[in-house]
Structure formats: C-alpha cells, structure tokens
Amino acid sequence: WAGICVSEKLPKNGDFILAYRDPSGAALEPSMVIDTKDKSLVTESDVKKLIRDAKERRIPVGIIVARDESQLRQLDRERRWGQEDSVWILRTTRHWLPRDLEVLKPVFERMRVEGPNFLQRNSALAEEVRRTLVDLDEVEKELKKAAKAIDTASVLTIKYRSRLQTLCDNRVEDRA
C-alpha cells in the first residue's frame, strides 16, 4: 500500500498497527491501531476494546474496520470519526478505508506536528471531519444509484434496439 506502513498481525491489542510513511519509508506518527471485524455487527464492547488497546500502546488513533457497511450500527455510520476517552476513533469498512485515510491525511499530518490534542483544541474542525465522512458516504450511495441507473439504461437500450431491429427485419420480409 503506497505511502502506508502496516505491521504484521499483532498477538494482542488490536489486529495491526498502521502509519503513513515518510519518503525514506520510515513510519510516521501518529500510529493507528486497526481492529478488523468480521462478525455480523460491531458492538460498543468492540469500540471499548479498541480504546483500551490504543491506550495500552499509547496510540492516539484507533480504527475499527468492518467487512461492509451493514456491520456498522446506525450510531457508527452517523459518527464515524470522534474522540472517546482520549482516543480518536474511525469507524469504517474495508471499502471505505483507503478513501477515509486519504480524507484524514491532513488531520494526521497536523496531529504529527501539533500532537494528538490538536483536534481537541479545534472542535469545529473535528465536527467538520465527522460531517465530511458522513457526506462522502451519502455521495457514494448516490453514485451507486447513478451507476445502477446507467446500467439499466444500457440494458434497455440494447433490448429496444434489438426489438426495433427485429421489427424492421420483419417489415422488410412482409414486403417481399
């Protein structure tokens, strides 16, 4: 993953450690604890465990990665980024993770320079990040709807073109 450093599977305290890389390939702060979830629903105890794991490792950011959006509770989808018990938590999916990390990259760069408390001092920015992630999810849903509409229109175009071709061919045969 270009620009990203991912640790080997951790024996405990989360599944992986993720960090951005500098040009030399060295991991940059802030590190992030990644906890992947492959169960039917992410629970509050999963979030609490992630917070505990991040605190034990003194890592300011924890990320819960669900297999897909259906595993996230409504609360998780509405508040995908926020601070809980001094740890910044991102609730995401495998599909959303690359996009979310790209969106959050400037925030992580500021955290590196100003420390993890940077967002606490800038609550309006933290709230804007939260809204941005929710808005991007909505844009993605609309894009899926648009893609489906385009596919449907393409199928119908082929169907009607074939139908008209058949009618035209039959009309030519009627004259013969």
Side-chain angles (χ1 to χ4, degrees):
W1 196 350
I4 303 283
C5 173
V6 180
S7 73
E8 295 293 322
K9 175 93 170 83
L10 300 173
K12 65 176 200 164
N13 296 344
D15 291 342
F16 302 93
I17 302 291
L18 181 137
Y20 287 96
R21 295 176 191 247
D22 70 10
S24 73
L28 296 169
E29 292 298 323
S31 294
M32 297 163 249
V33 176
I34 302 284
D35 193 2
T36 58
K37 294 296 173 194
D38 203 16
K39 58 186 196 175
S40 62
L41 193 66
V42 172
T43 64
E44 190 60 30
S45 64
D46 295 325
V47 175
K48 296 297 181 201
K49 178 185 170 290
L50 177 63
I51 291 168
R52 185 196 72 224
D53 294 347
K55 284 182 155 191
E56 285 178 9
R57 292 186 176 274
R58 293 183 176 88
I59 294 177
V61 179
I63 302 174
I64 286 195
V65 181
R67 185 179 56 254
D68 60 59
E69 182 181 354
S70 66
Q71 292 175 276
L72 296 174
R73 300 168 295 169
Q74 184 65 31
L75 169 73
D76 297 326
R77 288 190 296 269
E78 291 171 356
R79 188 171 167 83
R80 295 205 317 103
W81 173 256
Q83 188 179 44
E84 294 184 36
D85 204 13
S86 302
V87 176
W88 288 97
I89 303 294
L90 173 64
R91 295 161 174 92
T92 191
T93 67
R94 292 177 186 173
H95 178 72
W96 292 341
L97 181 61
R99 179 201 69 196
D100 290 349
L101 289 175
E102 186 63 30
V103 167
L104 290 169
K105 191 173 185 176
V107 172
F108 295 139
E109 289 171 355
R110 290 293 295 268
M111 286 174 102
R112 182 174 25 264
V113 173
E114 297 184 32
N117 294 336
F118 144 74
L119 281 173
Q120 290 169 316
R121 295 186 308 269
N122 296 287
S123 60
L125 176 60
E127 180 60 22
E128 185 61 33
V129 169
R130 186 196 66 75
R131 279 194 315 268
T132 296
L133 292 172
V134 171
D135 289 349
L136 286 173
D137 297 344
E138 289 302 314
V139 166
E140 187 171 287
K141 285 179 188 173
E142 294 302 318
L143 287 173
K144 285 180 183 177
K145 288 179 190 175
K148 184 178 180 188
I150 290 168
D151 288 344
T152 300
S154 296
V155 168
L156 288 173
T157 299
I158 292 168
K159 175 183 170 184
Y160 287 113
R161 183 180 63 200
S162 174
R163 193 168 155 191
L164 287 173
Q165 183 66 50
T166 301
L167 288 171
C168 287
D169 291 347
N170 289 341
R171 181 65 184 142
V172 169
E173 291 173 7
D174 288 345
R175 288 187 175 188

